[in-house]
């Protein structure tokens, strides 16, 4: 199936540019967003189409994309008389880019099957910059035949899209991704603190290390801002805690202990208590400080 008409549900920092890439690629794109002003702004910028409900947006579409906040948000736009399943035609494809639990992905696949709709769970990595630049990494779960039908469409905002197995496996891969990011940030936080106490030039250290085995995206893009204690951009710790909760719940289902992930989650919780939940995840370095609340204020 070559998609001709698509819908995009959710115009946050990720969904807004992703939907824009679809419209710019020549697809007739209809959007729905809870905030009408954001949807109107998108339609003006990209010359797309606006729907008043998810069901209306999904009507007669070949593929419907979702990118919202959490499990409950996904259910709110999928189910019910105004949900996308009410508007989708048979043999259409529902693609969920939201980071949610694997259990929800499996649930959605079962609900779609009853309506003769195909489903792919497809969480993304790459952040707002990746969405804007069309360089996201997309981790997919579902049938190969369905994946093959969407891959050329999502190529407009992805540098890599990989099918990892049945429904739920895309979400499980995203869990692995988030644990890796959290671990790198913890290591980078401790390393930078040691470098600072040792009177090393942080910029010089980063330029030396980024080309070696210690190099990472986080080092190249966040080390200097962490050293400067600037955290007002990127992926908020409120969302990372949501993701880490998903990781820990999945681990519990396998009787698996993840002590590092638990420790990082606790550190982020303390930062949330200091009203820093909207700061980006690199603020983890502040959890090593012991200042007053006033000193932590951004």
């Amino acid at each position: 199936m070559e998609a001709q008409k698509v819908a995009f549900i959710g115009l946050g920092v990720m969904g807004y540019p992703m939907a824009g890439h679809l419209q710019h690629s020549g697809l007739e794109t209809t959007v729905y967003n809870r905030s009408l002003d954001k949807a109107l702004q998108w339609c003006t910028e990209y010359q797309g189409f606006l729907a008043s409900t998810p069901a209306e947006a999904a009507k007669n579409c070949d593929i419907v994309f979702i990118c919202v906040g959490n499990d409950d948000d996904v259910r709110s736009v999928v189910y019910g008389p105004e949900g996308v399943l009410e508007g989708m035609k048979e043999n259409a494809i529902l693609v969920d880019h939201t980071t949610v639990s694997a259990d929800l992905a499996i649930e959605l696949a079962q609900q779609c099957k009853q309506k003769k709709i195909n489903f792919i769970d497809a969480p993304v990595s790459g952040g707002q910059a990746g969405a804007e630049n069309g360089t996201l990494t997309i981790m997919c779960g579902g049938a190969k035949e369905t994946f093959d039908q969407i891959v050329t469409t999502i190529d407009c905002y992805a540098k890599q899209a990989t099918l990892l197995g049945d429904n739920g496996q895309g979400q499980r891969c995203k869990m692995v991704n988030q644990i890796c990011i959290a671990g790198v940030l913890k290591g980078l936080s401790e390393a930078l603190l040691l470098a600072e106490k040792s009177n090393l030039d942080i910029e010089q250290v980063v330029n030396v290390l980024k080309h070696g085995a210690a190099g990472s995206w986080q080092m190249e893009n966040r080390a200097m801002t962490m050293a400067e204690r600037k955290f007002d951009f990127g992926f908020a710790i409120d969302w990372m805690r949501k993701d880490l909760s998903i990781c820990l719940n999945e681990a519990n289902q396998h009787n698996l202990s993840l002590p590092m992930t638990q420790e990082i989650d606790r550190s982020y919780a303390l930062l949330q208590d200091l009203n820093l939940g909207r700061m980006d995840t690199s603020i983890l370095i502040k959890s090593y400080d012991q200042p007053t609340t006033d000193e932590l204020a951004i």
Side-chain angles (χ1 to χ4, degrees), residues 205-217 219-220:
V205 168
V206 170
N207 286 333
V208 170
L209 299 185
K210 70 181 183 182
H211 299 296
S216 68
W217 186 95
M219 177 177 285
E220 289 204 46

Side-chain angles (χ1 to χ4, degrees), residues 78-92:
V78 170
Y79 299 141
E82 295 185 345
V84 295
L85 291 185
E86 191 66 26
M88 293 182 72
K89 62 185 181 181
E90 287 188 7
N91 299 316

Side-chain angles (χ1 to χ4, degrees), residues 37-289:
D37 288 346
K38 196 70 170 291
L40 289 171
Q41 177 185 331
W42 184 92
C43 289
T44 299
E45 182 175 349
Y46 292 104
Q47 303 302 303
F49 302 90
L50 174 66
S52 59
T53 68
E56 181 186 333
K59 188 176 181 180
N60 296 321
C61 285
D62 302 304
I63 308 175
V64 176
F65 300 92
I66 301 172
C67 191
V68 289
N70 55 36
D71 287 36
D72 290 340
D73 292 330
V74 171
R75 289 188 175 98
S76 73
V77 298
V78 170
Y79 299 141
E82 295 185 345
V84 295
L85 291 185
E86 191 66 26
M88 293 182 72
K89 62 185 181 181
E90 287 188 7
N91 299 316
I93 301 172
L94 178 61
V95 178
D96 185 17
H97 285 310
T98 315
T99 298
V100 297
S101 65
D103 290 341
L104 178 57
I106 294 168
E107 172 192 315
L108 291 173
Q110 293 169 344
Q111 293 297 316
C112 286
K113 185 176 181 180
Q114 292 178 14
K115 290 182 172 288
K116 297 182 180 179
I117 294 168
N118 301 300
F119 176 72
I120 293 284
D121 52 287
V124 304
S125 181
Q128 182 177 351
E132 292 172 350
N133 296 325
T135 57
L136 293 171
T137 295
I138 305 182
M139 298 151 266
C140 299
K144 184 178 185 305
E145 179 181 356
T146 305
F147 173 78
D148 288 343
Q149 292 179 67
I150 70 163
V151 68
T152 56
T153 302
I154 62 178
D155 273 350
C156 69
Y157 48 73
K159 68 176 178 182
Q160 180 176 338
T162 303
L163 181 65
L164 293 136
D166 295 334
N167 289 120
Q169 294 299 80
Q171 294 295 347
R172 293 187 178 102
C173 185
K174 180 62 185 287
M175 297 174 205
V176 174
N177 183 80
Q178 299 306 80
I179 292 172
C180 288
I181 291 173
V184 169
L185 284 170
K186 181 174 177 61
L188 188 56
S189 295
E190 295 187 0
L192 287 173
L193 290 171
L194 178 60
E196 290 170 358
K197 293 296 184 182
S198 302
N199 294 318
L200 285 165
D201 182 291
I202 301 302
E203 184 174 6
Q204 189 178 41
V205 168
V206 170
N207 286 333
V208 170
L209 299 185
K210 70 181 183 182
H211 299 296
S216 68
W217 186 95
Q218 298 293 340
M219 177 177 285
E220 289 204 46
N221 292 275
R222 292 291 176 264
M224 288 306 302
T225 55
M226 289 168 73
E228 295 166 356
R229 301 304 190 263
K230 295 178 180 177
F231 311 107
D232 194 14
F233 49 79
F235 186 62
I237 65 174
D238 283 345
W239 294 114
M240 177 58 97
R241 283 214 71 213
K242 182 265 293 187
D243 292 355
L244 293 182
S245 175
I246 292 171
C247 298
L248 293 169
N249 287 336
E250 180 74 17
N252 286 337
Q253 292 182 35
H254 300 286
N255 296 316
L256 179 64
S257 174
L258 301 176
M260 182 200 71
T261 305
Q262 291 173 325
E263 180 183 345
I264 295 171
D265 184 56
R266 287 193 294 268
S267 295
Y268 279 136
L270 293 174
L271 293 168
Q272 282 181 315
D273 290 341
L274 294 165
N275 297 317
L276 298 173
R278 298 308 301 167
M279 298 296 100
D280 75 82
T281 50
S282 66
I283 202 171
L284 185 63
I285 194 172
K286 298 290 280 185
S287 67
Y288 290 86
D289 297 342

